[in-house]
């Protein structure tokens, strides 16, 4: 067991010759609701404010595994993916195209329900720029769509009765014209 | 990074009938209120109006004055165009909002792989703009409703016809001028003498009548006016410039604070009765009007806090025969656009503490054939806005087109208004959900809704769809077509 202060060991301790291989980055370990364990690079973990606060405020040792009971494993994967990219692009001068391409890919295979779940998670984990991006992605899905489309997409029930609906629609009836409802 | 990667059952796109997905994730109305607010705030205005009809939770959220304040804090000004012809009554305004961030459209999305960004092909940026419809009230709606022909139309309609009856009304009786826009509120005037009579918010559909101005004996001279906001008083005010006295009338001004019951006389105004004031513009606590003297261009400025007229430094160019000069707002500055020969120059008024000066912000040489081979139409240009990517959007009056130009990349896009044959006018407008009720001084004012009464009928030509079409600004095209009488 290495006790040297120079050695930034990963939590999974190694003995023998491989102990000499220094992990340059410290790791932080979290456990999600479904029991999955993730090792995060410190610089990525620090992007997630709830983790940052947990470890820094009370100077908790990185050996502690932080529980994240409100986060599913697949959500953690996505969050790590986004934060890692964000950290990487911080150091790039002209990362605009790459960021755009990455963002398009990131949401490409997510259903609306998962997008909403991920948005909630980004809020819980306190990753502001991810929350902002996900909200933008959600709004893109309902931009210029009509009422029925929005309800169906989000699985929202119409809790207006006929009269109430006519009343609220009458406040701006012209907004309901010329909409594009194609699913793309 | 060591990370356990199980085979993750990725919930896939909408349309895939996987029951597992149905249980996953919160319903949007379960999300914390502020997240819903963020999502809604990123939508264009008409989509927000639609979301209001989705469910009760959202209706309450969007109708909340807090939401209106948040929305206004991040709102941008957009061009608002209106069909403008002497034979037509148009109560429809079209707000031109860019559809996306002009972000690059990625080609071949199906072949995206996560490691190869470099080889991705990006489509040349599509310039999509949305035209969202808003309405103005009809002037003298009572007269319209009680007109015999219309009464018959309405009566006959009750026999189950779905189509709205089409009514004919006389422009002079029922049209409003749109004078200017301030923080989402429009000042409307009657078309003959330009007397300000109504303030409305086209997004919320509310409007109110202004009290009658002080009666001036037999004045048949044009009145100049505008709506502005006084930051110190935190009040909206309408300014009215008129001629008083005979045989030598002097120009005077009076002010009405929205919600109060009368007009307050300010005093004389430093312009003469034969000056035709144009381009009323509100920006940062002051109202501006533009006019010309035989030799020079003059801008009249009225400070809404101190309720005084102020002088501005003179414009750095003389009045000339073939100059087309307009005034508007660009960024947060008053902007004068001078189109002359092969040059278009945009000058902005800069504040350096107490001193103000004109600075040439943008200079365009229109005979320069850029990589798109653009052709700049001649005529009057009005600056509209800076786009997020730094490009400039302007409206050309002669061709009824919006022109996008990026000063650095020299990208040029010509967007023509199509679908309705008419001349158009354009102003810069910030869409806002702020209610008239929240900005008035007193409680006494009757706030009406644009949609009541006259919504059940349509005007001639009203259902035509207007759209913006990206075209090549070709000299052979309809630059020279006369925009003849309006068809239905």
């Amino acid at each position: 067991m290495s006790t040297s202060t120079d050695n930034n060991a990963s939590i999974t301790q190694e003995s023998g010759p491989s102990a000499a291989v220094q992990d340059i980055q410290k790791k932080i370990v979290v456990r999600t609701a479904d029991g999955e364990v993730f090792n995060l690079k410190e610089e990525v973990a620090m992007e997630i404010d709830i983790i940052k606060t947990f470890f820094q405020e009370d100077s908790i040792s990185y050996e502690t595994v932080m529980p994240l009971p409100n986060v599913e494993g697949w959500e953690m994967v996505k969050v790590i993916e986004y934060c890692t990219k964000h950290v990487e692009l911080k150091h790039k001068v002209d990362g605009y195209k790459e960021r755009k391409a990455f963002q398009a890919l990131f949401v490409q295979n997510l259903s609306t329900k998962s997008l909403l779940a991920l948005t909630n998670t980004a809020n819980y984990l306190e990753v502001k720029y991810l929350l902002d991006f996900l909200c933008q992605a959600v709004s893109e899905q309902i931009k210029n769509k009509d009422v029925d489309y929005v309800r169906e997409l989000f699985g929202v029930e119409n809790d207006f009765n006929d009269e109430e609906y006519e009343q609220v629609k009458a406040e701006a009836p012209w907004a309901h014209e010329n909409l594009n409802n194609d699913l793309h | 990074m060591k990370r356990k990667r199980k085979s993750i059952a990725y919930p896939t796109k909408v349309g895939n009938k996987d029951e597992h997905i149905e249980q996953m994730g919160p319903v949007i109305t379960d999300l914390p209120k502020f997240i819903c607010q963020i999502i809604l705030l990123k939508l264009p205005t008409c989509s927000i109006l639609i979301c209001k009809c989705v469910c009760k939770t959202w209706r309450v959220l969007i109708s909340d004055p807090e939401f209106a304040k948040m929305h206004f804090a991040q709102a941008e000004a957009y061009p608002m165009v209106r069909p403008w012809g002497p034979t037509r009554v148009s109560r429809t305004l079209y707000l031109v909002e860019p559809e996306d961030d002009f972000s690059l459209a990625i080609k071949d999305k199906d072949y995206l792989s996560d490691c190869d960004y470099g080889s991705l092909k990006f489509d040349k940026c599509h310039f999509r703009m949305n035209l969202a419809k808003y309405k103005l009230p009809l002037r003298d709606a009572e007269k319209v409703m009680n007109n015999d022909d219309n009464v018959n139309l309405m009566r006959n309609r009750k026999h189950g016809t779905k189509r709205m009856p089409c009514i004919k009304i006389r422009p002079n009786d029922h049209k409003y001028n749109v004078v200017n826009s301030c923080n989402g509120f429009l000042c409307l005037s009657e078309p003959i003498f330009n007397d300000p009579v109504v303030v409305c918010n086209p997004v919320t559909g509310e409007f109110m009548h202004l009290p009658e101005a002080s009666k001036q004996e037999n004045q048949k001279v044009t009145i100049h006016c505008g709506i502005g906001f006084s930051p110190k008083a935190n009040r909206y005010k309408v300014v009215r410039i008129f001629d008083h006295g005979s045989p030598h009338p002097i120009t005077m001004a009076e002010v009405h604070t929205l919600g109060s019951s009368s007009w307050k006389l300010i005093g004389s105004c430093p312009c003469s009765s034969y000056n035709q004031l144009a381009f009323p513009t509100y920006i940062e606590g002051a109202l501006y009007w533009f006019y010309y003297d035989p030799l020079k261009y003059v801008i009249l400025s009225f400070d809404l806090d101190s309720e005084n007229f102020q002088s501005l430094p003179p414009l750095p160019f003389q009045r000339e025969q073939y100059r087309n000069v307009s005034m508007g707002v660009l960024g947060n500055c008053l902007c004068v656009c001078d189109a002359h020969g092969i040059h278009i120059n945009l000058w902005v008024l800069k504040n350096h503490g107490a001193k103000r000066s004109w600075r040439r912000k943008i200079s365009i040489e229109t005979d320069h054939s850029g990589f798109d081979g653009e052709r700049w139409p001649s005529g009057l240009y009005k600056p509209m806005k800076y786009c997020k990517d730094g490009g400039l959007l302007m409206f050309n009056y002669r061709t009824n087109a919006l022109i996008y130009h990026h000063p650095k990349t020299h990208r040029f896009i010509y967007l023509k208004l199509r679908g309705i044959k008419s001349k158009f006018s354009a102003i810069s407008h910030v869409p806002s959900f702020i209610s008239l009720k929240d900005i008035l001084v007193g409680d006494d004012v009757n706030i009406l809704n644009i949609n009541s009464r006259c919504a059940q009928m349509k005007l001639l030509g009203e259902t035509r769809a207007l759209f913006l079409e990206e075209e090549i600004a070709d000299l052979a095209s309809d630059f020279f077509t006369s925009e003849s009488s309006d068809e239905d």
Side-chain angles (χ1 to χ4, degrees):
Chain A
M1 205 143 124
S2 166
T3 48
S4 154
T5 47
D6 283 345
N7 187 355
N8 299 318
S10 65
I11 300 297
T12 42
Q13 300 293 342
E14 319 225 63
S15 56
S18 47
V21 173
Q22 294 192 13
D23 244 11
I24 300 173
Q25 290 241 337
K26 286 199 196 138
K27 302 282 188 168
I28 286 180
V29 189
V30 300
R31 181 189 294 113
T32 53
D34 45 4
E36 260 195 84
V37 174
F38 294 92
N39 292 331
L40 287 73
K41 277 191 197 162
E42 182 186 17
E43 65 172 356
V44 174
M46 290 300 134
E47 295 287 307
I48 301 169
D49 278 357
I50 198 179
I51 298 181
K52 183 173 172 184
T53 314
F54 179 85
F55 284 102
Q56 285 188 348
E57 245 179 31
D58 297 322
S59 308
I60 293 185
S61 135
Y62 285 9
E63 288 188 21
T64 317
V65 176
M66 179 183 177
L68 293 172
N70 293 341
V71 182
E72 297 291 318
W74 72 268
E75 294 173 330
M76 200 65 218
V77 169
K78 292 300 273 182
V79 172
I80 293 171
E81 188 187 331
Y82 199 90
C83 291
T84 308
K85 194 66 183 178
H86 184 90
V87 167
E88 186 191 313
L89 287 174
K90 260 191 209 175
H91 306 303
K92 273 204 177 163
V93 172
D94 187 21
Y96 180 75
K97 275 190 185 176
E98 193 175 336
R99 184 188 299 277
K100 283 291 166 193
F102 171 78
Q103 285 176 336
L105 252 182
F106 188 82
V107 293
Q108 197 181 29
N109 289 318
L110 290 177
S111 70
T112 307
K113 273 231 146 81
S114 351
L115 200 53
L116 290 177
L118 202 54
T119 306
N120 214 15
T121 301
N123 178 44
Y124 168 74
L125 291 174
E126 297 171 41
V127 188
K128 194 165 185 302
Y129 52 80
L130 177 58
L131 176 63
D132 197 72
F133 165 65
L134 291 169
C135 287
Q136 179 73 44
V138 174
S139 78
E140 293 286 333
Q141 292 200 346
I142 55 171
K143 217 189 238 191
N144 300 320
K145 302 285 194 238
D146 73 6
V147 180
D148 291 324
Y149 185 98
V150 177
R151 283 190 189 137
E152 203 189 302
L153 191 74
F154 291 140
V156 170
E157 287 281 324
N158 174 15
D159 54 356
F160 290 119
N161 63 38
D162 283 342
E163 199 186 308
E164 289 167 336
Y165 179 74
E166 285 308 312
Q167 195 184 46
V168 66
K169 187 171 174 195
E171 287 169 13
W174 46 85
H176 298 255
E177 296 173 21
N178 299 329
L179 294 166
N180 162 28
N181 290 326
D182 317 325
L183 252 175
H184 50 250
Chain B
M1 166 172 28
K2 293 189 188 108
R3 141 161 67 114
K4 289 184 199 170
R5 212 166 215 234
K6 293 192 200 152
S7 60
I8 293 161
Y10 255 31
T12 49
K13 265 191 133 117
V14 174
N16 184 329
K17 305 269 189 279
D18 186 334
E19 290 106 67
H20 172 61
I21 303 166
E22 298 312 301
Q23 275 79 52
M24 283 187 75
V27 180
I28 195 162
T29 40
D30 291 337
L31 289 178
K33 178 169 142 184
F34 87 95
I35 294 187
C36 281
Q37 282 174 332
I38 300 176
I39 294 173
L40 291 169
L41 288 174
K42 291 184 188 290
L43 288 169
T45 319
C46 55
S47 284
I48 299 178
L49 289 170
I50 287 188
C51 286
K52 216 173 167 188
C53 302
V54 164
C55 63
K56 283 183 180 166
T57 314
W58 276 8
R59 183 189 191 177
V60 168
L61 197 130
I62 295 170
S63 307
D64 192 339
E66 182 201 346
F67 180 82
K69 277 202 191 120
M70 290 170 73
H71 179 266
F72 184 67
Q74 46 117 70
E76 283 174 52
Y78 295 104
M80 191 169 229
V81 300
R82 182 193 187 194
W84 182 245
T87 56
R88 163 193 287 275
V89 177
S90 176
R91 53 175 176 166
T92 314
L93 302 165
Y94 299 86
L95 191 70
V96 183
E97 289 171 294
E99 195 164 298
D100 30 43
D101 238 344
F102 314 146
S103 46
L104 308 160
I106 298 173
K107 262 190 173 140
D108 301 330
K109 276 197 179 148
D110 295 331
Y111 297 100
L112 275 177
S113 89
D114 22 346
C115 312
D116 206 3
Y117 302 120
S119 70
L120 278 175
K121 303 243 185 316
F122 288 87
D123 260 333
K124 200 166 137 191
C125 177
H126 292 302
F127 205 93
R128 281 176 299 232
M129 305 207 89
N130 238 359
L131 285 173
K133 259 190 193 175
Y134 295 94
K135 297 278 186 184
L136 294 174
L138 269 184
R139 193 156 66 90
D140 211 356
E142 292 293 339
K143 198 168 162 187
V144 174
M145 299 294 296
N146 295 331
N147 170 294
D148 283 332
D149 295 333
N150 296 333
V151 169
N152 286 330
L153 267 173
M154 294 300 291
R155 210 180 288 137
N156 293 335
R157 188 205 169 206
K158 287 202 170 115
H159 300 302
T161 41
K162 237 197 153 181
R163 290 190 66 174
M164 281 201 280
C166 180
I167 61 169
K168 293 187 169 117
I169 52 180
R170 290 173 54 215
N172 278 355
D173 290 344
H174 301 292
K175 195 159 141 173
Y176 280 125
N177 267 356
V178 175
V179 177
N180 76 319
S181 165
C182 166
N183 295 350
F185 296 104
L186 295 175
C187 174
L188 306 179
S189 68
E190 54 82 18
I192 302 175
F193 299 118
N194 199 36
D195 206 352
V197 283
V198 163
V199 169
C200 80
N201 180 336
V203 171
T204 62
E206 296 168 320
F207 71 101
M208 56 177 274
H209 289 287
L210 299 177
E212 267 196 29
S214 349
K215 284 257 187 285
Q216 302 304 321
E217 350 43 89
N218 293 329
Q219 293 308 323
K220 298 229 192 285
V221 185
T222 313
I223 292 164
H224 303 287
C225 56
I227 182 174
F229 178 69
S230 159
K232 270 206 194 117
N234 195 31
R235 293 283 167 230
Y236 286 83
K237 301 181 182 176
V238 179
V239 178
R240 185 173 177 270
I241 298 171
F242 59 97
D243 288 339
H244 174 66
S246 63
H248 302 295
I250 47 167
T251 312
M252 308 208 74
E254 58 184 1
V255 168
H256 167 72
T257 302
L258 234 54
S260 70
S261 52
S262 61
W263 293 80
K264 181 174 88 180
L265 199 66
I266 297 294
S268 70
C269 168
C271 68
S272 341
S273 38
Y274 55 80
N275 293 132
Q276 287 299 308
L277 304 181
F279 305 120
T281 305
Y282 164 80
I283 183 165
E284 299 205 338
L287 268 169
Y288 302 89
W289 294 267
F290 182 89
Y291 65 98
Y292 45 79
D293 236 304
L295 286 176
K296 60 190 191 308
Y297 299 108
V298 186
I299 297 178
L300 186 64
S301 152
F302 184 80
D303 182 274
L304 290 150
D305 283 334
S306 60
E307 294 186 350
N308 274 328
F309 284 99
Q310 304 187 320
S311 62
L312 287 186
L315 280 168
F317 52 87
Q318 298 291 342
R319 188 176 166 213
E320 266 175 83
Q321 196 180 10
Y322 296 109
R323 273 205 134 102
N324 281 305
V325 186
S326 77
M327 185 169 79
V329 171
L330 203 60
N332 283 326
C333 304
L334 187 68
C335 173
V336 169
C337 178
D338 164 35
H340 182 221
I342 57 164
H343 294 281
I344 297 178
N345 289 318
L346 282 100
W347 298 84
V348 293
L349 188 67
K350 284 289 188 193
N351 288 324
H352 309 288
K355 269 193 85 174
R356 302 163 102 178
S357 63
W358 291 100
R359 205 186 75 174
R360 178 158 54 189
K361 189 85 193 240
I362 296 178
S363 180
I364 303 167
E365 268 185 37
T366 59
D367 70 339
H368 166 75
S369 209
F371 60 86
D372 277 341
E374 73 262 15
R375 292 212 168 59
W376 289 80
S378 63
L380 190 67
Y381 278 87
K382 191 159 184 206
M384 285 283 125
K385 75 175 271 141
Y386 274 128
C387 303
K388 279 202 177 97
D389 68 346
L392 179 65
L393 203 59
M394 294 194 284
F395 182 72
N396 179 279
Y397 279 87
R398 198 164 72 80
T399 55
N400 290 325
L402 277 169
I403 293 181
Y404 167 91
H405 170 80
H406 199 290
K408 292 212 173 84
T409 67
H410 294 289
R411 184 131 194 259
F412 173 91
I413 304 176
Y414 175 76
L415 293 155
K416 183 120 168 82
L417 286 166
R418 290 251 179 242
I420 294 181
K421 235 191 156 128
S422 173
K423 273 284 171 213
F424 283 84
S425 66
I427 58 163
S428 186
H429 178 76
V430 180
S432 148
F433 285 88
I434 295 183
S435 165
L436 274 173
K437 299 189 196 88
D438 294 330
I439 62 157
L440 299 179
V441 157
D443 294 320
D444 249 350
V445 183
N446 196 15
I447 294 177
L448 305 160
N449 191 285
I450 290 169
N451 201 47
S452 54
R453 298 183 298 178
C454 293
Q456 294 90 43
M457 60 186 105
K458 65 180 203 289
L459 304 180
L460 214 61
E462 220 170 36
T463 47
R464 294 197 85 114
L466 184 71
F467 50 96
L468 271 174
E469 198 138 285
E470 189 177 334
E471 297 182 3
I472 310 289
D474 191 357
L475 280 178
S477 76
D478 63 350
F479 277 12
F480 306 109
T481 311
S482 58
E483 298 288 2
S484 56
S485 62
D486 309 317
E487 328 162 315
D488 185 357

